[in-house]
Amino acid sequence: RLALEQKKAEDTGTQTAMLAPGISLDTLKKTLILPASGKIIRRFGAEDGFGGKAAGITLAANPQSIVVTPVDATVLYAGPFRSYHQLLILDAGDGYHVVMGGMDQTMVTTGQFVLSGEPVGLMAIKPPPSSQSSSGNAADLTDNAELYIEFRKDGVPVDSAPWWSAQTAGRT
């Protein structure tokens, strides 16, 4: 329907308003589901294996899991980035961003608006045998690929734990 409205607007020379997150992330605490099925293996603030603290959570995602967006958002970036494989940066409004990395494929493009629960990526079957996990220890390798999820408020990482539903938060 949106595409039809945009086409009609182009034909008539008028502009349609862009979609934007309609609900503040602040009001969604304890309601979000994790973007993929799997188990949380590293929480915000835990040792990251490189001498620092984790700025997000890491999920051992089931092989070939579909990754969904946890919130309504606009895609700011979708593509490869350093060791994060495929990375998504989502603008959730009110200064909040959701960063997700570790996917094998992304299914969205920069500028696209996505709704909570909408597929945005796909995890790999499993990590390459020569790779190391994000903790840096070869012994930590599993048959699962790792999905990194970080919430940011005004450019600063924040603990996402208050947003996950009780059912989701217990996946450890």
Side-chain angles (χ1 to χ4, degrees):
R1 179 177 170 197
L2 181 60
L4 181 60
E5 289 176 12
Q6 287 175 334
K7 174 75 172 123
K8 188 185 290 184
E10 289 171 8
D11 291 344
T12 61
T14 60
Q15 293 183 344
T16 57
M18 290 186 64
L19 290 174
I23 300 174
S24 172
L25 197 57
D26 285 323
T27 65
L28 296 175
K29 290 186 177 175
K30 297 186 180 193
T31 65
L32 304 182
I33 59 167
L34 288 172
S37 57
K39 180 179 176 180
I40 298 171
I41 58 173
R42 187 171 304 102
R43 294 196 179 272
F44 180 89
E47 296 291 328
D48 66 3
F50 300 103
K53 302 283 184 187
I57 64 172
T58 302
L59 181 69
N62 294 336
Q64 293 187 309
S65 290
I66 292 175
V67 179
V68 301
T69 178
V71 296
D72 294 356
T74 301
V75 178
L76 294 181
Y77 180 80
F81 185 77
R82 299 184 185 170
S83 64
Y84 288 96
H85 303 284
Q86 293 294 311
L87 179 81
L88 288 177
I89 301 175
L90 305 171
D91 181 352
D94 294 333
Y96 283 102
H97 293 90
V98 177
V99 178
M100 296 191 296
M103 292 164 280
D104 189 48
Q105 298 174 31
T106 57
M107 302 173 179
V108 294
T109 59
T110 300
Q112 181 178 344
F113 184 79
V114 291
L115 296 172
S116 177
E118 187 172 337
V120 293
L122 182 67
M123 297 303 295
I125 295 173
K126 65 180 181 178
S130 62
S131 73
Q132 288 189 345
S133 72
S134 61
S135 69
N137 299 321
D140 288 343
L141 283 176
T142 66
D143 284 339
N144 296 341
E146 293 181 0
L147 179 65
Y148 177 75
I149 308 154
E150 180 179 307
F151 280 27
R152 296 180 145 263
K153 172 68 171 159
D154 298 325
V156 178
V158 295
D159 187 358
S160 63
W163 279 274
W164 305 120
S165 71
Q167 179 184 18
T168 296
R171 286 203 223 164
T172 57

